[in-house]
Each structure stands twice: as structure tokens, then as C-alpha cells.
Amino acid sequence: MAGRSLEKITEALYSYLLGELTRAELSPRWRRQGDALPYVVYEFSSAAWVQTTNQVTNMVTLSVNFSCVAATVAEALDVADEITAAFYQTVTESRITFQMVDINMRTLDAVPDDGTGDAERIIVVTTTFLTHDET
């Protein structure tokens, strides 16, 4: 049950974000250097099934890192804002409910900026969701 449930959660998250992101392409795990900007790469950093006294429930606490990559900080922030706005309220996709319970952001440079201004800018949005599989 646990493996199948996590697979469904992954598919539901991807499906939902495909419909919500208008400013960037979405990819799980990685993109090739040189791909068109902006884009979002996401990966799961942790998943923990919520347990009661003697059993595992159908709820999972899930942490996801979204790396918003763009040519400028402002453009990366626009994409990050689009991701956070997508989860301001509880969301249900494919009978999986996502409730954002925590969010953090940080700014990175993809490569050292030598002053030419061509370094990609990255905003990493780390979210924690409480998810519920309604099936």
C-alpha cells in the first residue's frame, strides 16, 4: 500500500502543477544545462506516513524542493510565487488532498557570476505538505 500511495501522490502533484504553472516548464528531478528558461525542477526530500497507535494511515507528510531557474532573480521569484500561490488553499487532485503546512525560500546562483550577468538565478522553494489519499 505505501509504495502505491506514494506513486499516486507523485502523479497527482505533477498533474496539478502542470495545470497551474504558466510561466515555466516543469520537470521531475533534473533538466539539461542550456534548456530554455525559466523552468522548475522538483524533487521529494522526505516522506513520512502518519501513524496511529497500531497502524499506518493514508496520510503522508511530504517535503518537496522546487528549484525555480530563470535568467533573472525577478523572473525566478515570479515562478516561485506561482508555485506558492498554487497551494495557498487546500488542493485536491486525482483524489489526493494537499495541504501546505510549511514553506521556505532561498536564493542561489547556478554558477558563479563573473559579472557578465549570464549566471542563471535559482529560487528554491521548500514546501511541506500533509497529503491524504481519499481512495
Side-chain angles (χ1 to χ4, degrees):
M1 175 185 121
R4 186 171 179 340
S5 180
L6 190 55
E7 181 179 351
K8 288 172 59 180
I9 291 168
T10 302
E11 291 171 357
L13 180 67
Y14 181 74
S15 176
Y16 175 70
L17 283 174
L18 277 180
E20 293 296 311
L21 289 178
T22 60
R23 295 185 173 127
E25 295 291 320
L26 178 67
S27 297
R29 307 251 339 167
W30 63 277
R31 298 264 303 201
R32 288 188 171 86
Q33 187 172 1
D35 279 355
L37 298 175
Y39 62 82
V40 175
V41 176
Y42 71 95
E43 62 184 334
F44 298 97
S45 57
S46 69
W49 276 260
V50 177
Q51 297 185 10
T52 61
T53 307
N54 291 324
Q55 69 182 156
V56 175
T57 68
N58 58 351
M59 292 187 292
V60 179
T61 302
L62 185 71
S63 291
V64 184
N65 292 325
F66 297 97
S67 296
C68 307
V69 183
T72 67
V73 171
E75 193 175 32
L77 278 170
D78 285 345
V79 174
D81 286 345
E82 195 171 39
I83 289 171
T84 57
F87 293 103
Y88 279 150
Q89 298 179 7
T90 300
V91 170
T92 300
E93 176 74 27
S94 304
R95 299 188 56 138
I96 305 291
T97 301
F98 294 89
Q99 174 66 53
M100 186 167 57
V101 295
D102 189 35
I103 186 167
N104 293 292
M105 287 189 188
R106 60 192 161 110
T107 306
L108 304 173
D109 285 335
V111 295
D113 192 351
D114 61 3
T116 62
D118 61 351
E120 293 177 343
R121 307 297 182 209
I122 303 174
I123 304 293
V124 179
V125 180
T126 302
T127 57
T128 302
F129 297 103
L130 178 60
T131 65
H132 179 255
D133 185 345
E134 297 177 8
T135 56

